[in-house]
Amino acid sequence: MKDKTVVVTGASSGIGEELAVLLAEKGARVVLAARDEVALARVKQRCEKAGGQALIVPTDVSDPESCRRLMARAVEAFGGIDVLVNNAGLTMRGRFEEVTDLSVFERLLRVNYLGAVYCTHHALASLKARRGLVVAVSSLTGKSGVPGRTGYAGSKHAMQGFFDSLRIELLGTGVDVLVASPGFVATPIRARALGPDGKTGHPDVAEEKGARIMDARTCARFILRAMERRDREWVMMPAPRVMLALKALAPGLIDRLAAWKIKNAPP
């Protein structure tokens, strides 16, 4: 990653922040994108202290014009884009039957799915010129449904399908596509989860149910390693990989296991 230009969305906290700092330690030029300019300034300082260059571009990924400006600014500043990390995300918690504000599903799609589509579209020409890499930070819920996560899982399934299709379209261009699928990670996104009423303040209760929680820096290290190898996929931890393999053989069993895992969570 030395001397590579890497655009990271959702870079103001969590996985995006830690990945940006790790990239800076490798000598990358990091373009930091998120809505919170104050938080981005803090991350920029961490990146520069780590030895990399960092550029702040306040961005709302749900706005296609904002995504276009982000990529144009990266190209203007550094001459091109080598890697795009689509990390910006929004989550939801609540059973579908209790949803009172259906607009929450559109909000999830606009950030998690369309935000990645917009950014990738506007970066693609530069990525092709540099035979670059597109990274989609998805989720295990993008591979298998989870109760209480219908909106989030739907947006991540859309993301998975889009990038799987794009990978095939880009065969022979030199551009690779990596889909990273973390599970439970200790990041601020979970504390800001949307609820069935469309309002924030519905924190994830995974810790209370004994789930294994990975810290953001460890997760970022795994993703960076997959980026350096230009892998097509990274799935967090061995147990989920086994479950995904079993899903093709015994989907009903996997459904029951998922329901059992979250059965004590409040709606």
Side-chain angles (χ1 to χ4, degrees):
M1 293 296 163
K2 183 174 175 56
D3 296 326
K4 300 293 186 182
T5 298
V6 186
V7 178
V8 182
T9 68
S12 58
S13 64
I15 297 170
E17 175 179 354
E18 296 304 328
L19 183 57
V21 175
L22 289 173
L23 286 162
E25 290 175 359
K26 295 277 188 176
R29 297 183 289 260
V30 187
V31 182
L32 307 170
R35 292 180 301 172
D36 189 341
E37 192 167 359
V38 173
L40 287 178
R42 174 182 53 78
V43 179
K44 181 177 187 291
Q45 289 183 335
R46 288 189 65 195
C47 290
E48 291 175 342
K49 186 176 180 180
Q53 298 180 59
L55 171 70
I56 292 174
V57 184
T59 305
D60 178 357
V61 298
S62 68
D63 175 16
E65 177 58 21
S66 186
C67 296
R68 186 199 66 77
R69 288 195 299 267
L70 166 62
M71 302 311 160
R73 185 73 184 91
V75 172
E76 176 187 17
F78 298 122
I81 301 167
D82 296 288
V83 183
L84 167 62
V85 181
N86 291 292
N87 171 72
L90 184 65
T91 190
M92 173 193 177
R93 183 175 157 268
R95 299 180 70 85
F96 181 66
E97 64 185 355
E98 300 200 355
V99 172
T100 57
D101 182 3
L102 285 170
S103 70
V104 68
F105 286 84
E106 181 178 353
R107 292 172 64 188
L108 289 160
L109 281 169
R110 289 193 69 84
V111 174
N112 297 349
Y113 170 57
L114 289 175
V117 171
Y118 298 152
C119 286
T120 303
H121 177 79
H122 291 297
L124 191 56
S126 186
L127 288 166
K128 289 177 73 174
R130 294 195 171 198
R131 303 176 70 83
L133 174 67
V134 183
V135 181
V137 180
S138 182
S139 166
L140 291 176
T141 59
K143 295 184 175 296
S144 184
V146 176
R149 303 290 190 276
T150 53
Y152 183 67
S155 67
K156 292 298 186 177
H157 271 70
M159 191 182 199
Q160 180 81 50
F162 171 79
F163 284 105
D164 281 348
S165 300
L166 182 65
R167 183 187 296 113
I168 299 168
E169 290 186 6
L170 293 174
L171 286 174
T173 67
V175 178
D176 291 317
V177 176
L178 162 66
V179 177
S181 300
F184 292 117
V185 180
T187 72
I189 186 177
R190 291 169 42 252
R192 298 194 296 263
L194 300 175
D197 56 0
K199 298 178 181 178
T200 58
H202 295 262
D204 202 313
V205 294
E207 301 96 327
E208 301 171 18
K209 308 307 168 189
R212 292 180 60 187
I213 309 295
M214 180 179 285
D215 67 89
R217 189 166 180 85
T218 298
C219 182
R221 283 197 186 100
F222 280 117
I223 294 173
L224 178 57
R225 185 170 66 181
M227 290 167 60
E228 291 176 327
R229 296 188 308 211
R230 296 177 79 99
D231 290 342
R232 59 178 287 130
E233 287 200 291
W234 171 73
V235 177
M236 178 173 160
M237 298 184 299
R241 295 185 203 123
V242 174
M243 289 187 68
L244 291 171
L246 285 173
K247 184 179 178 183
L249 300 173
L253 173 62
I254 299 305
D255 288 350
R256 289 192 292 274
L257 285 171
W260 173 79
K261 188 71 175 177
I262 314 221
K263 69 178 180 180
N264 293 319

